[in-house]
């Protein structure tokens, strides 16, 4: 008998979908967190973790050397890599940050819509563990440990219906929260307050205007939000249309 089979069966177990009202409430709750300035200031750090994680993952995939990640209390962050200062690897790494939260949200929506809540929670734990190994400042380490601890507690102690509600809310938050930083980025660029943003770095690397990259980020995030929202509500759409 394969000793890993029980673990795989646990991770791939399908949980019963929550009622539609809970999915809708979780979506509006996530929208409120993203739209309200005070709650956004507190929760934006979660988007930063996903943002820097996107830079780090693509850097590794493009065979750049990952030197470290820093997360700051003002919700900013930086991912340090080593390799050619130009070329496809550097471009892909720079482009990954702003779309990462939305794409992670889309992946979360896909897993959640299939009832694979446990798999999602443990995948998040695995990614956070890998990220923790590359954190290079105290605040960043505490932030990742706090998020990882919360996810572990949810996966280990919470009943299935609570796990499901939190998973839906998290997917909505990533999908919605992935859009706002892009809008904020363009506002800062227009005011001349972000000369070294990812979009401006890409402009220097590719000679394509930074505004093009901002629009590309926004297009990807908006598409992820639309399709992710569809995945999260698809099973109830026939009932609503009746």
């Amino acid at each position: 008998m394969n000793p890993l089979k029980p673990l795989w069966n646990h991770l791939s177990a399908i949980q019963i979908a929550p009622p539609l009202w809970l999915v809708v409430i979780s979506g509006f709750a996530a929208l409120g967190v993203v739209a309200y300035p005070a709650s956004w200031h507190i929760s934006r750090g979660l988007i930063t973790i996903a943002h820097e994680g996107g830079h780090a993952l693509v850097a590794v995939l493009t065979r750049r050397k990952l030197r470290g990640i820093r997360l700051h209390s003002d919700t900013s962050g930086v991912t340090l890599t080593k390799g050619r200062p130009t070329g496809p690897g550097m471009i892909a790494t720079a482009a990954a940050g702003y779309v990462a939260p939305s794409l992670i949200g889309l992946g979360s929506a896909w897993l959640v819509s299939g009832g694979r809540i446990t798999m999602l929670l443990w995948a998040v734990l695995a990614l956070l563990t890998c990220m923790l190994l590359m954190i290079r400042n105290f605040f960043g380490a505490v932030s990742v440990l706090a998020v990882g601890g919360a996810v572990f507690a949810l996966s280990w102690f919470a009943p299935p219906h609570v796990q499901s509600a939190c998973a839906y809310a998290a997917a909505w938050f990533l999908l919605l929260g992935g859009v706002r930083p892009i809008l904020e980025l363009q506002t800062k660029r227009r005011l001349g307050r972000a000369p070294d943003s990812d979009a401006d770095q890409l402009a220097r690397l590719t000679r394509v205007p930074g505004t093009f990259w901002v629009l590309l980020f926004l297009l990807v995030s908006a598409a992820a939000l639309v399709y992710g929202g569809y995945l999260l509500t698809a099973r109830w759409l026939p009932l609503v249309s009746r």
Side-chain angles (χ1 to χ4, degrees):
M1 179 179 177
N2 187 345
L4 295 179
K5 188 174 181 180
L7 176 61
W8 173 251
N9 289 339
H10 174 68
L11 292 178
S12 60
I14 297 177
Q15 295 182 211
I16 298 175
L20 176 59
W21 65 265
L22 185 58
V23 177
V24 173
I25 288 178
S26 67
F28 277 107
L31 179 60
V33 170
V34 172
Y36 186 58
S39 58
W40 173 243
H41 179 72
I42 296 172
S43 62
R44 195 185 192 283
L46 298 174
I47 298 297
T48 302
I49 290 175
H51 178 116
E52 301 304 332
H55 282 313
L57 177 60
V58 174
V60 172
L61 293 176
T62 56
R63 305 185 70 176
R64 294 183 63 80
K65 185 176 181 180
L66 183 60
R67 299 179 62 184
I69 302 170
R70 290 178 176 270
L71 303 172
H72 304 134
S73 58
D74 63 355
T75 72
S76 65
V78 61
T79 298
L80 304 173
T81 65
K82 185 177 181 180
R84 288 183 57 194
T86 60
M90 184 61 194
I91 293 171
T93 299
Y98 275 99
V99 298
S102 296
L103 294 180
I104 294 172
L106 180 59
S108 300
W110 178 70
L111 288 173
V112 167
S113 66
R116 292 179 171 84
I117 308 298
T118 303
M119 183 177 291
L120 171 62
L121 295 175
W122 282 82
V124 171
L125 281 174
L127 292 173
L128 288 172
T129 300
C130 293
M131 191 171 182
L132 180 62
L133 297 175
M134 299 308 301
I135 294 291
R136 294 294 182 264
N137 68 323
F138 179 75
F139 180 84
V142 171
S143 299
V144 174
L145 282 171
V147 176
V151 175
F152 176 78
L154 179 66
S155 66
W156 197 258
F157 299 110
H161 66 278
V162 174
Q163 292 182 6
S164 184
C166 291
Y168 271 88
W172 280 119
F173 173 74
L174 287 167
L175 290 168
L176 293 163
V179 176
R180 180 163 177 173
I182 301 171
L183 301 176
E184 294 175 341
L185 168 64
Q186 186 56 23
T187 299
K188 291 179 180 179
R189 292 184 70 251
R190 189 170 61 249
L191 298 174
R193 292 164 47 193
D196 294 318
S197 70
D198 292 352
D200 293 284
Q201 291 182 44
L202 286 163
R204 291 191 286 269
L205 287 167
T206 63
R207 300 183 185 276
V208 176
T211 302
F212 166 84
W213 292 103
V214 175
L215 291 174
L216 181 61
F217 297 159
L218 188 59
L219 178 62
V220 172
S221 294
L225 173 58
V226 171
Y227 188 52
Y230 167 76
L231 289 175
L232 292 172
T233 59
R235 70 174 63 214
W236 293 280
L237 289 179
L239 299 176
V240 175
S241 63
R242 287 179 183 177

